[in-house]
């Protein structure tokens, strides 16, 4: 009976050993696809949140006291430069102007009378009928009346100016915005009547980090760089813009610097105060590209499996530069000659020796 037990035990061990050997042999014979990074010139886009500002956007305020007598435009209406927008009650200004004109006419009459007297005094002085002092007095009277006339004319001009302020006009072509005060509202000097925007062209202001700013400076050869605009609904604005200027200093609180781009706005799609995204394309020479699927994360580091000369797997930490659809550009950690594991990452571990099949990048790019 004991002999039978030992025979059965030896048979079971033999069968298990054979199965284990078969399994190891199967794993050793499994082939994994590997590839090498692609070295090529490429480009990628950077998105920045941007605020849209009109080319001109100003507040229209009352320059006189009174009440709004008429409102000649509506909110959202397009107006021309010089067009009357509001009329403020002007009866008082009309009266002031009439009074100023009357004062001017009176000063002119007094001056003409004094000039006639001066001519007579000159004749009398020539005949020694009056003294030089008397003549000088008459001459001084004429000079005083000339000054009085100038003062009257200045007051008349000021009255005309105040009267013109009662007619509120558009300072440039543009669109009228919100009108907070309606007809009949009492206004004082400085009260806001509305705002007007010139939307023919629009500015996009966006902030760029110091790193991206230095990249921009290094890659910019032409005077102005073009860029695209992504609207709030995700659609692309049909017109390209250009970067016009960069501010002269960084914001110490955010570590960014402001850029300003200009976009044409022929269809009046862009509005002052809108929030969009600008998309700036960056050109990169000799970028090292790998498929995204070959990467994995280990302790918050991006890693790949690198195959050495003995076909042994090593984990390599890499630093990405930017991402493209299905691809990652590597800044540090890989060279174009490195072989990286393309498939089967979940079946292997560091230190495994595998059979490899080199796959060209073009087969999956």
């Amino acid at each position: 009976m004991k002999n039978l037990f030992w025979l059965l035990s030896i048979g079971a061990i033999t069968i298990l050993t054979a199965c284990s050997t078969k399994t190891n042999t199967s794993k050793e014979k499994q082939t994994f696809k590997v590839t090498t990074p692609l070295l090529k010139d490429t480009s990628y886009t950077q998105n920045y949140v941007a605020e849209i500002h009109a080319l001109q956007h100003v507040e229209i305020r009352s320059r006189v006291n009174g009440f709004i007598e008429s409102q000649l435009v509506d909110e959202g209406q397009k107006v021309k430069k010089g067009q009357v927008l509001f009329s403020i009650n002007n009866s008082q200004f009309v009266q002031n102007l009439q009074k100023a004109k009357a004062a001017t006419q009176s000063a002119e009459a007094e001056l003409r009378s004094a000039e006639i007297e001066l001519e007579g005094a000159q004749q009398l002085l020539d005949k020694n009928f009056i003294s030089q002092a008397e003549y000088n007095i008459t001459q001084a009277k004429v000079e005083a009346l000339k000054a009085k006339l100038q003062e009257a004319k200045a007051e008349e001009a000021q009255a005309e100016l105040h009267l013109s302020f009662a007619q509120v006009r558009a300072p440039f072509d543009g669109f009228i915005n919100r009108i907070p005060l309606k007809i009949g509202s009492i206004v004082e000097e400085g009260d806001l009547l509305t705002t007007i925007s010139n939307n023919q062209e629009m500015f996009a202001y966006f902030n760029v980090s110091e790193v991206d700013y230095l990249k921009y400076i290094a890659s910019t050869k032409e005077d102005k760089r073009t860029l695209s605009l992504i609207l709030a609904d995700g659609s692309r604005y049909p017109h390209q813009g250009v970067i016009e200027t960069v501010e002269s200093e960084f914001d110490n609180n955010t570590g960014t610097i402001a850029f300003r781009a200009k976009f044409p706005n022929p269809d009046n799609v862009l509005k002052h105060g809108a929030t969009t995204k600008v998309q700036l394309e960056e050109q990169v020479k000799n970028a090292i590209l790998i498929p995204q699927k070959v990467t994995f994360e280990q302790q918050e580091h991006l890693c790949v499996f690198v195959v050495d000369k003995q076909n042994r797997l090593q984990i390599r930490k890499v630093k990405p530069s930017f991402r493209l659809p299905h691809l990652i550009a590597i800044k540090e950690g890989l060279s174009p000659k490195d072989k990286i594991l393309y498939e089967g990452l979940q079946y292997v571990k560091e230190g495994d020796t595998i059979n490899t099949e080199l796959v060209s990048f073009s087969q999956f790019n």
Side-chain angles (χ1 to χ4, degrees):
M1 190 68 180
K2 290 184 178 179
N3 292 335
L4 179 61
F5 173 76
W6 284 109
L7 288 173
L8 290 175
S9 299
I10 293 171
I13 293 172
T14 303
I15 291 171
L16 290 173
T17 302
C19 291
S20 177
T21 303
K22 185 176 180 180
T23 302
N24 291 337
T25 303
S26 176
K27 184 176 180 180
E28 289 177 0
K29 289 183 178 180
Q30 187 176 358
T31 301
F32 293 87
K33 292 181 179 180
V34 299
T35 188
T36 56
L38 177 65
L39 186 67
K40 65 175 294 187
D41 296 343
T42 187
S43 63
Y44 69 99
T45 55
Q46 288 277 79
N47 292 333
Y48 303 95
V49 176
E51 294 181 359
I52 301 299
H53 290 254
L55 187 65
Q56 294 171 285
H57 179 81
V58 299
E59 295 177 336
I60 306 295
R61 294 184 177 272
S62 174
R63 302 177 71 176
V64 293
N65 299 330
F67 66 89
I68 299 177
E69 194 170 54
S70 60
Q71 175 187 318
L72 305 176
V73 293
D74 198 4
E75 296 170 343
Q77 181 178 336
K78 186 176 183 180
V79 297
K80 294 290 186 180
K81 179 179 180 180
Q83 180 176 338
V84 178
L85 310 178
F86 302 93
S87 178
I88 298 175
N89 178 264
N90 62 359
S91 57
Q92 180 181 352
F93 305 116
V94 171
Q95 293 174 1
N96 291 341
L97 178 59
Q98 291 174 346
K99 182 179 179 180
K101 286 183 176 181
T104 300
Q105 291 174 355
S106 176
E108 288 176 343
E110 290 181 11
L111 178 61
R112 284 195 299 269
S113 176
E115 288 175 340
I116 292 173
E117 290 182 8
L118 183 62
E119 290 177 359
Q122 181 65 53
Q123 294 175 0
L124 294 175
L125 179 64
D126 292 341
K127 296 178 180 180
N128 294 323
F129 289 156
I130 61 173
S131 65
Q132 182 67 42
E134 292 175 310
Y135 175 81
N136 291 342
I137 292 174
T138 306
Q139 189 178 39
K141 181 180 178 180
V142 171
E143 296 299 325
L145 289 174
K146 285 182 178 180
K148 183 179 179 180
L149 177 60
Q150 292 298 321
E151 182 181 0
K153 287 182 176 180
E155 290 180 354
E156 181 181 349
Q158 187 175 23
E160 288 181 344
L161 184 62
H162 285 167
L163 180 60
S164 70
F165 289 163
Q167 300 288 315
V168 182
R169 299 177 182 272
F172 48 78
D173 294 355
F175 289 87
I176 297 299
N177 299 311
R178 182 70 60 86
I179 300 176
L181 301 176
K182 309 301 181 183
I183 295 176
S185 298
I186 296 176
V187 295
E188 296 181 353
E189 183 178 351
D191 283 351
L192 178 67
L193 301 177
T194 187
T195 57
I196 182 173
S197 300
N198 177 1
N199 296 342
Q200 184 177 1
E201 293 181 300
M202 305 297 284
F203 291 131
Y205 289 90
F206 58 99
N207 295 322
V208 174
S209 68
E210 187 171 356
V211 173
D212 289 344
Y213 165 75
L214 294 175
K215 288 181 181 178
Y216 168 80
I217 294 298
S219 62
T220 301
K221 294 181 180 179
E222 62 271 19
D223 292 337
K224 294 182 179 180
R225 286 276 300 278
T226 60
L227 70 172
S228 303
L229 195 66
I230 307 299
L231 303 179
D233 62 357
S235 62
R236 183 179 295 272
Y237 185 63
H239 304 284
Q240 289 276 310
V242 294
I243 296 177
E244 283 196 326
T245 186
V246 181
E247 285 191 357
S248 60
E249 61 181 2
F250 282 89
D251 186 329
N252 290 331
N253 295 323
T254 62
T256 60
I257 191 168
F259 280 52
R260 189 188 77 193
K262 182 189 285 186
F263 288 84
N265 193 30
D267 302 320
N268 198 37
V269 173
L270 301 179
K271 300 292 186 180
H272 179 85
T275 300
T276 62
K277 291 182 180 179
V278 294
Q279 197 171 76
L280 183 62
E281 185 176 15
E282 298 287 352
Q283 301 293 329
V284 180
K285 292 186 176 294
N286 297 325
I288 297 178
L289 303 176
I290 62 173
Q292 288 189 14
K293 65 178 294 183
V294 308
T295 64
F296 60 93
E297 289 191 2
Q298 187 179 74
Q299 298 178 352
E300 299 182 354
H301 293 286
L302 192 67
C303 301
V304 297
F305 276 119
V306 176
V307 183
D308 63 15
K309 295 181 180 180
Q310 288 77 35
N311 285 350
R312 186 179 295 108
L313 294 175
Q314 298 177 354
I315 294 178
R316 181 83 59 83
K317 295 178 183 179
V318 295
K319 289 186 178 180
S321 177
F322 56 90
R323 295 177 183 266
L324 299 172
H326 311 297
L327 298 174
I328 298 178
I330 301 301
K331 179 168 60 176
E332 294 180 11
L334 285 178
S335 72
K337 295 181 179 181
D338 286 327
K339 291 182 181 180
I340 53 178
L341 184 64
Y342 176 63
E343 288 181 342
L345 277 69
Q346 67 274 29
Y347 302 119
V348 297
K349 63 182 183 300
E350 187 175 24
D352 285 352
T353 300
I354 60 172
N355 291 333
T356 62
E357 177 189 351
L358 184 62
V359 179
S360 173
F361 201 101
S362 60
Q363 290 183 238
F364 50 82
N365 182 33

